[in-house]
Amino acid sequence: MLRTTIATLAGKAARHAARLRGGGSGGSALPGLVAEKVDPAFLAHTLADVPGGIVVVSGTNGKTTTTKMLVAILRAHGQRVFTNPTGSNFTRGVISAMLAEMPLRGGLEADIAVLELDEAHALHFGRAVAPTHALLLNVARDQLDRFAEIDHTAGLLTRLAAMTTQGVVLNRDDPFVNRIATTLSPGVDVTWFGLDASVADRVGELSEHDSREQEDFAPPVAGERDGLLTPVDEESLRITFGAHGEGGSLGPVTLRQRGLAAMINATAATSTAKHLLGAAFRHEATERALRTVAPPFGRGEVIDVDGSPLELVLVKNPAGFTVALSTYAGAPAATMVAINDDYADGRDVSWLYDVSFESLRAKGVALTSGVRGWDMALRLQYDDVPVAATETDLSKALTTFLADHEGEPKRIFTTYTAMLALRRMLGERYDLPEMGVDAPETDGGPA
């Protein structure tokens, strides 16, 4: 354990240095890299003593939001939860998050760990520390240069599920995730989340086109521990447990994030909390948590820009961009689109041609930006969406966008690395909390 203690000290020193260099915001991976170099078994040594187990959340879309909701629900039940709130979902990001919370002597003071992990890096994690539970959300085309085709991504999640020792929560409506249940060991406990019959026809908005129709499968009948979503409106939902409500129902609850994707994330988080807590699961605590949890940075986050709202919306693949447009484009706002093609975004941006941008046609796009700002402008032309200007430099683009639309509602659709840069700039201009650190929550009122 001496080696782990030295690794803790070295990682904390790296974090301190990174924060000094970054003006207060520490690197999300560097401290973890340093600690891992000193003690390659740092993860296993540190997480071994967490009594309530290790929960991994993975899948193509919704990891960060769902993880944050699940953590909020468990904390509302009195659980001390360790998580990786910055969205840095590689193993080194997890270690960096640990270093931020661990005392100098080492040791993680938590009842349970809930970790968002990238589909590929989840396997590296699993080889170091076997998860006790896994929540598997969905499979979609994303970063084709890293994940190749969706069958490969589905294979990664299948292997992650095989590493899980106690229980798995699966998306009953995603055929790539659904079929994982047939590969699990008999002793692994399986529960489900999904849509109820009233919105089953909207599965196509979130899944690969025609995938469900091409697969010979039917969602399993929901048992009393399985959560089914019924949207009430664009922000409110009800969750029913069991096909006929045998396990009770929850809500209606109004979220602080709009759209069907956020509601599905809430259903996944709630179903997983019920899976983990069993008889200790309380509906009123869950409703309170869902009502108050804020969107993670950059995922529908609303920033007050001199008295007018600016929505920062992460988009990273065809399914995600399509859902974002259906959720947000109906509300008028000045629009900017920022597209980067760094490693974390995926270098291949041809996926933009699989998204329909017609919903932006009426108002047009004020500005395209990012490394691929001109590619985005060209793509919009094919859908007859007028583009007022293009500026590839993100800082100059943001300054122009804010100045030209002062006092108007604004919205930026952005890929991952562009989102990080824009969020950092906005944080400096408007004194926002550091990414991964929440602003004070509003009172959700009585449950």
Side-chain angles (χ1 to χ4, degrees):
M1 294 305 292
L2 177 61
R3 192 170 187 177
T4 303
T5 302
I6 295 172
T8 302
L9 294 172
K12 280 183 169 292
R15 182 172 184 273
H16 181 68
R19 290 177 68 83
L20 287 177
R21 185 176 181 183
S25 60
S28 59
L30 177 64
L33 171 63
V34 171
E36 200 172 43
K37 287 289 185 185
V38 176
D39 179 9
F42 187 89
L43 266 179
H45 290 159
T46 308
L47 290 173
D49 296 329
V50 177
I54 313 298
V55 184
V56 169
V57 180
S58 195
T60 306
N61 292 317
K63 294 186 288 294
T64 301
T65 301
T66 305
T67 299
K68 187 173 184 183
M69 288 176 168
L70 177 56
V71 169
I73 295 170
L74 293 174
R75 285 178 175 162
H77 283 78
Q79 297 279 308
R80 296 178 303 163
V81 185
F82 166 71
T83 189
N84 50 337
T86 65
S88 179
N89 51 28
F90 296 178
T91 53
R92 288 165 184 169
V94 174
I95 296 174
S96 294
M98 287 180 180
L99 292 166
E101 295 193 10
M102 292 171 64
L104 286 174
R105 65 179 183 281
L108 198 59
E109 297 175 350
D111 299 317
I112 190 169
V114 178
L115 303 170
E116 168 195 349
L117 288 171
D118 168 281
E119 300 89 296
H121 283 76
L123 298 184
H124 297 298
F125 179 90
R127 283 190 281 270
V129 186
T132 58
H133 300 82
L135 166 57
L136 305 181
L137 296 170
N138 47 57
V139 175
R141 282 176 297 154
D142 188 30
Q143 303 181 56
L144 292 177
D145 48 316
R146 287 185 61 212
F147 291 118
E149 287 299 333
I150 51 179
D151 283 339
H152 175 68
T153 305
L156 294 174
L157 294 186
T158 302
R159 291 163 63 190
L160 172 63
M163 294 174 169
T164 305
T165 60
Q166 295 183 27
V168 177
V169 181
L170 300 174
N171 183 345
R172 68 196 288 268
D173 298 313
D174 186 316
F176 297 97
V177 174
N178 184 304
R179 69 166 71 97
I180 291 174
T182 63
T183 70
L184 297 171
S185 302
V188 175
D189 184 22
V190 181
T191 58
W192 306 88
F193 71 93
L195 305 180
D196 81 352
S198 69
V199 283
D201 61 341
R202 296 186 65 182
V203 169
E205 297 177 31
L206 304 161
S207 302
E208 289 298 324
H209 291 304
D210 301 322
S211 58
R212 184 171 183 173
E213 288 77 7
Q214 293 173 0
E215 296 290 337
D216 182 20
F217 95 106
V221 176
E224 64 179 21
R225 295 189 300 153
D226 304 329
L228 299 180
L229 166 67
T230 305
V232 176
D233 54 34
E234 279 300 302
E235 296 176 89
S236 301
L237 70 151
R238 187 186 301 278
I239 299 172
T240 301
F241 295 101
H244 305 288
E246 320 74 299
S249 66
L250 182 149
V253 176
T254 299
L255 304 177
R256 295 178 62 186
Q257 192 171 4
R258 289 186 281 146
L260 183 61
M263 294 185 197
I264 292 175
N265 295 335
T267 305
T270 300
S271 302
T272 305
K274 190 175 180 70
H275 180 110
L276 294 167
L277 295 167
F281 178 81
R282 289 182 286 118
H283 289 200
E284 72 281 5
T286 303
E287 290 180 8
R288 184 171 64 251
L290 291 176
R291 193 160 45 233
T292 55
V293 66
F297 65 92
R299 281 84 168 174
E301 180 182 20
V302 180
I303 298 168
D304 186 331
V305 174
D306 300 323
S308 60
L310 184 153
E311 291 175 317
L312 202 57
V313 183
L314 175 67
V315 292
K316 57 177 188 165
N317 53 47
F321 212 147
T322 299
V323 170
L325 288 169
S326 69
T327 299
Y328 294 98
T335 300
M336 171 174 156
V337 185
I339 304 295
N340 273 357
D341 65 353
D342 292 339
Y343 174 75
D345 304 297
R347 307 308 298 266
D348 180 352
V349 296
S350 61
W351 60 270
L352 291 170
Y353 284 83
D354 292 330
V355 181
S356 171
F357 294 97
E358 294 179 0
S359 60
L360 296 174
R361 189 179 293 162
K363 190 170 177 61
V365 169
L367 197 60
T368 60
S369 185
V371 176
R372 295 300 192 104
W374 287 108
D375 296 80
M376 189 67 235
L378 176 63
R379 172 65 191 93
L380 290 169
Q381 278 198 2
Y382 279 103
D383 276 355
D384 296 323
V385 177
V387 177
T390 295
E391 169 54 69
T392 57
D393 184 287
L394 284 170
S395 179
K396 293 178 181 176
L398 181 63
T399 298
T400 300
F401 182 60
L402 298 184
D404 289 351
H405 300 279
E406 185 177 357
E408 296 179 48
K410 291 173 278 291
R411 185 175 300 122
I412 302 178
F413 296 105
T414 172
T415 52
Y416 183 69
T417 63
M419 181 273 287
L420 293 180
L422 290 166
R423 179 55 171 75
R424 193 170 296 114
M425 295 173 203
L426 289 164
E428 292 170 355
R429 295 184 189 201
Y430 297 101
D431 193 27
L432 303 177
E434 187 177 332
M435 287 181 277
V437 177
D438 280 335
E441 300 283 8
T442 59
D443 184 359

